Amino acid sequence: QKEVEQNSGPLSVPEGAIASLNCTYSDRVSQSFFWYRQYSGKSPELIMSIYSNGDKEDGRFTAQLNKASQYVSLLIRDSQPSDSATYLCAVKNYGQNFVFGPGTRLSVLP
Amino acid sequence: EAGVAQSPRYKIIEKRQSVAFWCNPISGHATLYWYQQILGQGPKLLIQFQNNGVVDDSQLPKDRFSAERLKGVDSTLKIQPAKLEDSAVYLCASSLSYQGNQPQHFGDGTRLSIL
């Protein structure tokens, strides 16, 4: 059974701080990793994808992947109240399905 | 580019009734997914289509759920008869292909409440 684990939260950070969201996965041969943001009552929205070890930056978001440790993270710099949402980690291997974690609820306090 | 379209947005039915959801994926996307998302949980895959063929339906409760994508474009998911535990958001997503690294994109979902 392939699993993706995340802390459910809530993770509370003050406005302007760095929010760090973590995800671990069980399938060692996973190839693709995605972060989705889901506002309450809305559908998941793709934020970042990462495929190689290391960091990938897009604006205020940085995804970090360490395949040896089976660990992927998302950093949000200069957190804003509008970043308050649930963040879903999804993992995929070629020709196989996406497996989602339970999500981490982030609350950015003004 | 138009996104994934789903309807209806909300549905309330009584247990043992039937219900159907419709999804139209992003144009050109060969892979279509149906997910069930229960409050506080991540999306759980119900069924995956590649064009008009089923790739994975291992988690679909086949005694009550069915889905089709007859012409390889839009898709319908049906529940008959509904149970109380089917109360959830049903999300449709699509991607260019299930091979490789393409991400999937979600529709707005259908929120189903069973009374």
Side-chain angles (χ1 to χ4, degrees):
Chain A
Q1 180 79 11
K2 298 171 187 174
E3 293 184 349
V4 176
E5 296 186 352
Q6 300 178 252
N7 288 327
S8 61
L11 172 66
S12 295
V13 299
E15 184 174 354
I18 296 175
S20 178
L21 305 162
N22 304 317
C23 171
T24 59
Y25 58 94
S26 63
D27 186 2
R28 183 168 292 277
V29 297
S30 297
Q31 298 288 336
S32 312
F33 306 87
F34 305 89
W35 283 100
Y36 287 84
R37 177 176 61 199
Q38 187 172 28
Y39 291 114
S40 180
K42 301 293 186 183
S43 62
E45 171 193 11
L46 180 68
I47 300 175
M48 295 275 293
S49 57
I50 185 166
Y51 312 114
S52 303
N53 279 328
D55 294 1
K56 178 182 179 183
E57 187 174 318
D58 184 359
R60 295 187 296 114
F61 299 98
T62 299
Q64 299 175 318
L65 176 61
N66 184 327
K67 290 186 178 181
S69 300
Q70 295 174 239
Y71 175 92
V72 58
S73 65
L74 179 70
L75 302 178
I76 306 174
R77 289 183 300 281
D78 188 22
S79 296
Q80 301 297 309
S82 58
D83 295 326
S84 297
T86 296
Y87 290 80
L88 296 164
C89 172
V91 174
K92 185 182 185 299
N93 196 5
Y94 291 129
Q96 297 186 12
N97 294 320
F98 292 81
V99 179
F100 282 85
T104 297
R105 193 153 52 93
L106 172 67
S107 179
V108 180
L109 307 174
Chain B
E1 178 185 74
V4 177
Q6 287 189 250
S7 66
R9 288 297 312 278
Y10 306 93
K11 192 72 177 179
I12 302 174
I13 62 172
E14 295 185 348
K15 60 183 179 184
R16 290 189 290 274
Q17 287 187 324
S18 62
V19 63
F21 314 125
W22 175 82
C23 173
N24 194 37
I26 293 172
S27 178
H29 280 198
T31 309
L32 184 148
Y33 310 81
W34 282 103
Y35 288 91
Q36 180 192 61
Q37 187 175 26
I38 293 172
L39 189 64
Q41 299 182 16
K44 170 191 161 187
L45 181 70
L46 293 174
I47 189 167
Q48 176 187 341
F49 293 94
Q50 178 73 6
N51 297 311
N52 62 350
V54 175
V55 175
D56 185 349
D57 64 356
S58 58
Q59 297 190 86
L60 186 74
K62 297 181 185 64
D63 58 334
R64 298 184 301 107
F65 286 65
S66 64
E68 60 184 15
R69 193 186 184 198
L70 294 176
K71 296 182 180 179
V73 180
D74 58 345
S75 175
T76 302
L77 175 69
K78 296 179 181 178
I79 307 175
Q80 182 180 9
K83 292 186 174 181
L84 291 175
E85 62 258 34
D86 298 333
S87 293
V89 176
Y90 290 84
L91 295 165
C92 179
S94 71
S95 66
L96 281 169
S97 172
Y98 77 99
Q99 307 283 0
N101 292 330
Q102 289 87 4
Q104 55 185 262
H105 302 273
F106 286 87
D108 288 335
T110 297
R111 188 174 299 275
L112 175 65
S113 297
I114 310 295
L115 304 179

